[in-house]
Amino acid sequence: MLVAGFPAGSFQTNCYVVAAGPGEACVVVDPGQDAVEPLDALLAEHRLTPVAVLLTHGHFDHTFSVAPVCDGHDVPAWIHPDDREMLADPLKGISADAAAFFGGRLELREPREVRELADGAALDLAGLTLRVDHTPGHTPGSVVFTTPTEEGVEVVLAGDTLFAGSIGRTDLPGGDHEQMLASLRDKLLTRTDDTVVLPGHGPTTTVGRERASNPFLQGLEAPARGRGL
């Protein structure tokens, strides 16, 4: 499996491409601000052809370039329905101070084709199977995508749910700290320690590393049940 990416724009949002290998079809994950040109360069370098854009959530630093990327390659965007409205109205997902920074206006639009994600769905795209897990907390429609390598190790595209040493903020509109903790406990800490986590910002990590050292995850896991007689 081929996974490559780059940090895009002033928010340094990680945009990823995932494919079965070089010269194959691929999916693009979270094309953020100023992502079009570096994405085109990455696609050319690995001779990849996009078949879909997957969005981990609706914040504009992850969706800024979704319309030009999707429409330029004639592919659909996939997003959870709870975050879809932010594609065309990104101010719904940011603070009042941030909105003021943009003069109270930030005009984006949906791509021509938008498809909605469902919790537990399996997407068969680009020769890959990607499982969708709904992980509300950072936003109502946050999701993570999981696909296995040939060696059987899971790779999780985690968006802004889990970072190396941190978790996504929950103080923006639609954020919910209790939901975030439940999502982390029930959808991420259930994975094996060798599960690779590709976050929406910052470096790659593993579930085991975060389980051991991430201060936000300490004490989250349910206690093991004792064995019956």
Side-chain angles (χ1 to χ4, degrees), residues 54-70:
L54 307 182
L55 300 172
T56 60
H57 63 291
H59 283 159
F60 75 89
D61 60 319
H62 292 251
T63 69
F64 197 94
S65 298
V66 65
V69 170
C70 285

Side-chain angles (χ1 to χ4, degrees), residues 198-213:
L198 304 178
H201 303 268
T204 300
T205 186
T206 65
V207 166
R209 190 178 304 154
E210 299 314 304
R211 193 194 316 275
S213 62

